[in-house]
Amino acid sequence: MAQTQPLATPDASLLRRAFALASAARRRGDRPFGAVVAAPEGAVLAEAGSTQGASGGGTLAHSEMNALAALQAAGVPRAQLAAATIYSSGEPCAMCAAAIFYSGIGRVVYGLSGAAILHLRNARPETAGLSLSCRAVLESAAAPPCVIGPCLEEEGAEPHLGYWEAGPA
């Protein structure tokens, strides 16, 4: 696993909430990912788990996409999102990173690195997906959001342990 970055207590609590959502998604039969969007003072604006799997959410039903949809449905203003942080249990994929950018969220904190996720998935070249990191996607923006991660990787790995051997690749 990649070297984990230190994390302030409020960030650690919200990231652990994303890990709990990932565990809940797994218990439902969905992929083990979770995301929480919070205001700077820690108020949760939206949260979601993955609905890829038993919930039938389809290929776009990543936890970050579900949380962003909840933000949109709640009508959270873009100005508020600029100061918000999205906490993702795993490093957002290229699709989710782009959606985070276009939503206007100003900060990303993630747990498990993309490389660690691929390792846990026992991914093969044909199932590995895009090899573009969240940081690379977001750093390509004119005004990139702040990206912090990987953080608390051992805790972030827990919802994945044993899942990928029995679940989808």
Side-chain angles (χ1 to χ4, degrees):
M1 286 187 204
Q3 181 177 356
T4 297
Q5 295 182 4
L7 203 55
T9 301
D11 285 335
S13 295
L14 288 160
L15 185 56
R16 286 183 174 112
R17 187 168 177 157
F19 296 158
L21 290 166
S23 293
R26 179 181 176 162
R27 285 191 299 276
R28 283 193 313 271
D30 294 315
R31 290 187 174 192
F33 296 98
V36 176
V37 181
E41 73 281 356
V44 173
L45 303 173
E47 62 183 17
S50 168
T51 52
Q52 281 188 291
S55 295
T59 59
L60 302 180
H62 295 198
S63 59
E64 297 91 345
M65 299 298 280
N66 291 341
L68 294 174
L71 286 171
Q72 185 176 19
V76 177
R78 191 169 173 86
Q80 189 175 6
L81 293 176
T85 299
I86 186 165
Y87 298 88
S88 296
S89 63
E91 182 174 358
C93 70
M95 172 186 71
C96 292
I100 289 165
F101 168 75
Y102 286 113
S103 76
I105 292 174
R107 190 165 170 260
V108 177
V109 175
Y110 67 87
L112 203 53
S113 70
I117 294 166
L118 288 176
H119 176 75
L120 288 167
R121 284 180 54 199
N122 297 313
R124 299 173 307 281
E126 67 274 13
T127 64
L130 298 175
S131 63
L132 203 54
S133 73
C134 162
R135 191 170 268 108
V137 171
L138 294 172
E139 286 176 350
S140 71
C146 172
V147 178
I148 300 169
C151 305
L152 307 175
E153 278 203 284
E154 286 186 25
E155 292 178 53
E158 288 176 18
H160 295 268
L161 298 178
Y163 174 81
W164 297 101
E165 288 82 9

